[in-house]
Amino acid sequence: MPTVEDVAGSLDAVMGVKAVFGRSGAAVMCFGSHGDENAKDKGHFSLARRTAEKAIERPFLISIGGGDDVPPELRGRVLELLRITGVFGETKAFVSDEAYVTRLQRWPVAVVTSEVYEIVGEPLLIEDLHFPDRKILANAYDGIRSDESELERLWDALRSAPVRRRWEICPLPGFRDPGRVQMFSTLYPKVSAQSSEGKKIWKEQQVLERDKGLARAAKAANREANGGRLVCEACALSNVREGLFDAHHLDPLACGIRQSRVDDFAILCPTCHRWAHLFGPDKLQPLSIPELRNVRTGGSR
């Protein structure tokens, strides 16, 4: 299982901490308006814009339970490590679930997250990480707190903590991180699978999946876990021959900038690999392994 340091690399990649009311329910980090929400003036987007600008150089953010709306059991818990993109705008442009949009109405602007990791065990700041208090959350309720001394202490406490990717939290279908700061009020940046640009990106993703070093390491991990045989993680086809299996990238590189690791891959037989991509919502969002497993072992699509 990767650690905080494996994912973020170093403290230099972490912009700060944010107090949140709970675990992520969508691929956004939301903020209140500091302007005229109806006029959508510069102040309205200011907190989201500043966060998007910081994300270009320091893309990772650590969320901690805090604020009036956080349930008691999550207060002071370090919840998630999130990768923030440079895309910001109105929350409703990035969240498709109407009920969740209603829940987030106090925070009408947002930045899009491209990766969300659960910090395993969700350690408490005071009881588990031995902070004397929750001062690190001061000024982290409205914006991002980036006090370097407090952040360095948190990094030292968390760098070896295991993290687990929350694959169920992903941007809307077709979302592509442009790698720069961009504002979107009602639409979000996406690639159409029918466009010439979409075809080019799909080709790039196919090349990535054949990365020999990562594919080899992912297959070796699968073999070790299965007594010397490779096993398809969807249909359970098993064989000792490596050429019968593909290393499937769970999160296509075409969705935006990231550094891939062995745990970002699943080992699939060629048939399951094709099903994952052909029956996903679009070519940038393949079926998840649980969805694929259900379809390939008795479900229907």
Side-chain angles (χ1 to χ4, degrees), residues 258-277:
R258 63 184 44 78
Q259 289 186 340
S260 299
R261 294 173 301 280
V262 170
D263 55 297
D264 291 330
F265 289 82
I267 301 305
L268 300 176
C269 69
T271 301
C272 287
H273 197 182
R274 284 160 177 75
W275 274 70
H277 289 291

Side-chain angles (χ1 to χ4, degrees), residues 64-84:
I64 303 174
D68 295 338
D69 298 299
V70 67
E73 65 272 16
L74 296 184
R75 189 174 302 278
R77 287 194 177 276
V78 184
L79 300 175
E80 294 171 336
L81 176 69
L82 308 99
R83 186 177 188 123
I84 308 298

Side-chain angles (χ1 to χ4, degrees), residues 15 24 26-31 47-49 51-53 55-56 58-61 82-96 109-116 169-185 187-190 255-258:
M15 71 170 73
S24 295
V28 290
M29 179 58 67
C30 301
F31 302 88
L47 291 174
R49 175 185 286 277
T51 302
E53 290 170 346
I56 302 304
R58 305 182 76 169
F60 287 96
L61 178 67
L82 308 99
R83 186 177 188 123
I84 308 298
T85 73
V87 174
F88 74 98
E90 293 198 289
T91 300
K92 61 187 178 183
F94 309 127
V95 180
S96 58
V109 296
V111 290
V112 175
T113 62
S114 61
E115 301 170 34
V116 179
I169 302 296
C170 56
L172 293 173
F175 174 86
R176 176 172 168 80
D177 179 4
R180 62 183 184 276
V181 177
Q182 281 190 269
M183 184 182 82
F184 293 84
S185 294
L187 299 173
Y188 60 94
K190 62 180 178 178
C255 292
I257 300 167
R258 63 184 44 78

Side-chain angles (χ1 to χ4, degrees), residues 162-230:
V163 295
R164 183 183 295 111
R165 180 75 180 267
R166 294 192 60 197
W167 290 106
E168 75 277 17
I169 302 296
C170 56
L172 293 173
F175 174 86
R176 176 172 168 80
D177 179 4
R180 62 183 184 276
V181 177
Q182 281 190 269
M183 184 182 82
F184 293 84
S185 294
T186 57
L187 299 173
Y188 60 94
K190 62 180 178 178
V191 175
S192 169
Q194 302 302 316
S195 70
S196 59
E197 182 184 16
K199 293 176 184 176
K200 178 181 177 183
I201 288 170
W202 175 234
K203 181 178 179 181
E204 291 172 355
Q205 193 241 351
Q206 289 280 54
V207 171
L208 171 70
E209 289 183 345
R210 290 194 292 268
D211 181 280
K212 293 181 181 179
L214 282 175
R216 191 179 299 116
K219 289 181 180 181
N222 180 282
R223 188 189 296 277
E224 183 178 355
N226 291 290
R229 297 175 68 87
L230 286 158

Side-chain angles (χ1 to χ4, degrees), residues 66 124 136 149 156 194 199-200 206 223 248-249 257 264 283 298 301:
L124 288 158
I136 194 172
S149 62
D156 288 341
Q194 302 302 316
K199 293 176 184 176
K200 178 181 177 183
Q206 289 280 54
R223 188 189 296 277
H248 163 63
H249 206 292
I257 300 167
D264 291 330
K283 287 186 176 180
R301 171 62 64 163

